[in-house]
Amino acid sequence: MTRGKRFPISDSHRGTWSELFAALALLSWYGACDHSGGIYMKQPNVVFIISDDQGFWSLGCAGNREIYTPNIDRLAAQGMRFENFFCVSPVCSPARASLLTGCIPSQHGVHDWLRDDDERRASIEYLAGQYSYTKALAESGYECALSGKWHMGASARAQQGFTHWFCHKSGGGPYYGAPLYRDGVLYREERYVTDAITDDAVEFLNSHKEAEKPFYLHVAYTAPHAPWLNNHPEEYTKLYENCLFESVPHLPRHPDSIYLTDEVAKDERANLIGYFAAVTAMDAGIGHILETLDELGLAEDTLVVFTSDNGFSCGHHGFWGKGNGTFPLNMYEESVKVPFIARHPGRIPAGVVCDSLVSAYDFMPTLLDYLGLKPLDMAKRPGVSFVPALLGQGFERPGGIVVMDEYGPNRMLRDQRYKYIARYPYGPNALYDLKADPGEQDNLLAHGGFEALEQELRGRLEKWFAKYVNPEIDGAREAVFGSGQIGLAGLWGAGVSAHSCDDYIKKNPNYALYRVK
């Protein structure tokens, strides 16, 4: 298994090899630019691959010696892997919307995973009238293609600059018989859906070998999202028949766990086999995409990015799930940290591991900066470009090294040492010293004596959010329980309830504070 060179953000004394990589990257970058305008004469293609509910720990290149991910590992060996990349919200729909728009949920209005139980809910275009990097790419001459999951509303129709639209109807579901839209027509896909998504992406690449326009291909797998039992090909599940699963913890049940943890506990081993198999099957699809780029002679001219929408716990902290795997909703590292790998031969140094703290809200400004483009809207976004990190240079975030997260009325500040979580309005709030307690087992606020530190961190958090929140759709005022969003948030919803509260939440003892008296 290939292990990369470590490349810390704040290290002011870089080694000779790192300096050489940076110099070569800059030379390649300079030579590929139109120096009259600062952008590429022949702009690179972009293949953006995103998994679903994948923990940062579930890759061979991240140190997991039990999971088979040879193609993603190869991508990391040929590019740069980020060890501290964070989603903006630890659940799929708001996380994806933030990646696409560069905005936090309290700016774009998607605060929870989107339910599409009926025609009204399924038809809501949550990002209507909003700006995204795919719109910016389309305006700059890119052809934008989607293969796979959207889950940001109105999945039946192409939007946000996309012209090729092969789209999953929902946010997940069975891997066989998946509901998919092709050219606006809904059908049931009898193939394994991971293969169907891969095949569509490969077909798009084959049809664009000689294309004059650059392309952006968004490959959005549903893997490794549930279900895990009886849903994955035997060729992948057999790989884990004798696996000891020592790479995941086996802990007592977290007291705040929801029903998913109890369901998995009925046959934890079979669910682990399914989760690991789903990752490996997706890795095989990614391998096919990378091979196609090689065969078509497109690899050198294509930026490839791999990430996940949000993280996931397979028994970590004693529960299964992501941010809504517990109630109250959680911000554990396994929920908010995701894999992120970028490869562009000759420009991004190969085999480098970067430990910068980076957020998904940084991705839009980074991608546009990398391509020499600018957004045409005037939105105030929180992100900054981390292109210097991609080129092997130093990267300093203005205002300090910190990332923020939100999930409804739950907000997080994380710097290099501390994580502070504020749950509005009732709590419980949390403070972790990640240096002394990387497993987040000891909430310092339970002891007393940290009031001054909490006040400082809460002040920083609230000042930051006040700068970016749209008060019409402020997540701190949204009744988000983790069981789905069913309409437009806040004032945008004109008084109609925007969030579902399922019975499993109402039966949870922690719901008592939220119960209407």
Side-chain angles (χ1 to χ4, degrees):
M1 182 172 61
T2 302
R3 302 298 296 160
K5 298 174 284 298
R6 298 199 170 270
F7 197 73
I9 163 181
S10 58
D11 189 354
S12 60
H13 301 288
R14 311 220 176 258
T16 302
W17 286 108
S18 294
E19 292 170 351
L20 178 59
F21 277 134
L24 290 174
L26 282 170
L27 285 172
S28 298
W29 177 269
Y30 185 85
C33 289
D34 170 2
H35 304 296
S36 63
I39 63 174
Y40 280 96
M41 297 175 67
K42 170 62 173 70
Q43 290 193 301
N45 306 306
V46 181
V47 174
F48 180 86
I49 304 170
I50 182 168
S51 60
D52 193 354
D53 285 4
Q54 186 171 11
F56 69 89
W57 50 268
S58 61
L59 293 173
C61 58
N64 190 320
R65 299 184 180 278
E66 292 183 316
I67 200 161
Y68 296 101
T69 54
N71 296 294
I72 299 174
D73 296 348
R74 174 164 64 93
L75 193 67
Q78 295 172 346
M80 182 178 291
R81 181 174 68 83
F82 284 71
E83 282 201 324
N84 292 299
F85 193 96
F86 295 85
C87 64
V88 182
S89 185
V91 74
C92 47
S93 299
R96 290 165 186 265
S98 291
L99 264 170
L100 199 71
T101 66
C103 295
I104 61 174
S106 288
Q107 290 177 299
H108 58 61
V110 181
H111 289 288
D112 204 355
W113 62 275
L114 300 179
R115 301 187 73 138
D116 59 354
D117 312 84
D118 57 42
E119 188 174 343
R120 182 195 69 83
R121 295 174 182 175
S123 66
I124 300 172
E125 188 175 338
Y126 286 87
L127 299 183
Q130 301 195 46
Y131 198 75
S132 61
Y133 70 75
T134 48
K135 272 191 175 180
L137 293 180
E139 291 166 351
S140 300
Y142 275 79
E143 182 174 355
C144 297
L146 169 69
S147 299
K149 176 173 174 175
W150 177 248
H151 207 196
M152 288 175 273
S155 296
R157 57 183 180 271
Q159 51 195 284
Q160 294 297 323
F162 286 95
T163 52
H164 177 93
W165 191 256
F166 179 64
C167 184
H168 197 289
K169 176 182 179 294
S170 303
Y175 282 72
Y176 292 96
L180 299 173
Y181 286 104
R182 184 180 290 282
D183 300 324
V185 177
L186 183 65
Y187 77 101
R188 291 281 175 178
E189 176 57 69
E190 296 307 315
R191 290 174 294 172
Y192 184 58
V193 70
T194 299
D195 292 344
I197 292 169
T198 299
D199 290 348
D200 183 76
V202 168
E203 289 170 11
F204 177 85
L205 291 174
N206 281 322
S207 68
H208 285 71
K209 177 184 179 181
E210 305 294 342
E212 294 183 3
K213 294 172 59 176
F215 62 77
Y216 170 86
L217 174 59
H218 190 100
V219 186
Y221 289 105
T222 60
H225 194 290
W228 304 299
L229 300 181
N230 306 313
N231 262 263
H232 302 285
E234 186 180 9
E235 65 179 296
Y236 301 113
T237 58
K238 285 184 68 174
L239 294 172
Y240 299 102
E241 284 182 348
N242 300 314
C243 184
L244 298 177
F245 294 111
E246 295 175 334
S247 56
V248 297
H250 304 275
L251 302 171
R253 182 185 186 277
H254 193 295
D256 297 338
S257 297
I258 62 166
Y259 70 93
L260 178 60
T261 298
D262 299 323
E263 285 297 313
V264 168
K266 295 174 183 177
D267 194 343
E268 183 186 50
R269 179 173 180 79
N271 280 282
L272 282 168
I273 289 173
Y275 186 91
F276 278 50
V279 172
T280 300
M282 175 185 66
D283 180 84
I286 292 171
H288 191 188
I289 291 170
L290 297 179
E291 289 168 4
T292 302
L293 289 172
D294 289 337
E295 292 167 0
L296 297 176
L298 295 174
E300 299 294 317
D301 297 323
T302 302
L303 168 66
V304 179
V305 173
F306 171 78
T307 189
S308 182
D309 54 356
N310 48 258
F312 202 80
S313 291
C314 288
H316 303 79
H317 306 281
F319 75 94
W320 276 63
K322 47 207 171 196
N324 60 355
T326 61
F327 188 79
L329 306 175
N330 75 82
M331 294 281 187
Y332 286 121
E333 291 287 276
E334 286 75 12
S335 297
V336 297
K337 188 185 289 189
V338 297
F340 187 90
I341 298 167
R343 184 196 78 175
H344 193 182
R347 297 197 177 95
I348 295 176
V352 174
V353 178
C354 180
D355 65 1
S356 306
L357 266 65
V358 180
S359 171
Y361 53 61
D362 297 319
F363 182 69
M364 177 177 177
T366 300
L367 179 63
L368 296 184
D369 185 23
Y370 189 87
L371 300 176
L373 306 175
K374 294 182 182 296
L376 298 183
D377 70 334
M378 300 300 291
K380 178 192 285 187
R381 294 183 173 84
V384 297
S385 171
F386 57 89
V387 163
L390 285 175
L391 297 182
Q393 307 167 33
F395 169 62
E396 295 291 343
R397 181 182 297 278
I401 303 171
V402 63
V403 295
M404 303 286 186
D405 253 63
E406 68 168 330
Y407 189 179
N410 307 277
R411 288 175 174 166
M412 179 198 84
L413 175 152
R414 188 201 189 279
D415 61 22
Q416 290 181 309
R417 178 169 182 179
Y418 292 107
K419 175 186 288 187
Y420 176 68
I421 301 163
R423 295 185 173 99
Y424 300 90
Y426 304 115
N429 298 336
L431 174 62
Y432 299 104
D433 182 343
L434 299 175
K435 184 176 180 180
D437 176 31
E440 299 171 276
Q441 297 179 348
D442 184 19
N443 181 1
L444 298 179
L445 300 183
H447 305 305
F450 293 91
E451 292 80 6
L453 179 58
E454 180 186 16
Q455 184 177 359
E456 175 198 341
L457 295 177
R458 189 182 182 98
R460 290 172 63 192
L461 180 145
E462 293 189 341
K463 184 178 180 180
W464 189 92
F465 275 95
K467 185 176 180 180
Y468 298 107
V469 164
N470 180 344
E472 295 182 352
I473 51 170
D474 186 351
R477 300 168 61 89
E478 294 290 305
V480 176
F481 297 100
S483 50
Q485 185 166 337
I486 55 178
L488 296 176
L491 297 182
W492 292 2
V496 178
S497 177
H499 305 285
S500 173
C501 183
D502 286 355
D503 287 343
Y504 73 86
I505 296 292
K506 295 176 182 177
K507 294 175 182 177
N508 190 304
N510 296 321
Y511 180 70
L513 288 172
Y514 301 83
R515 196 177 302 277
V516 176
K517 302 296 184 184

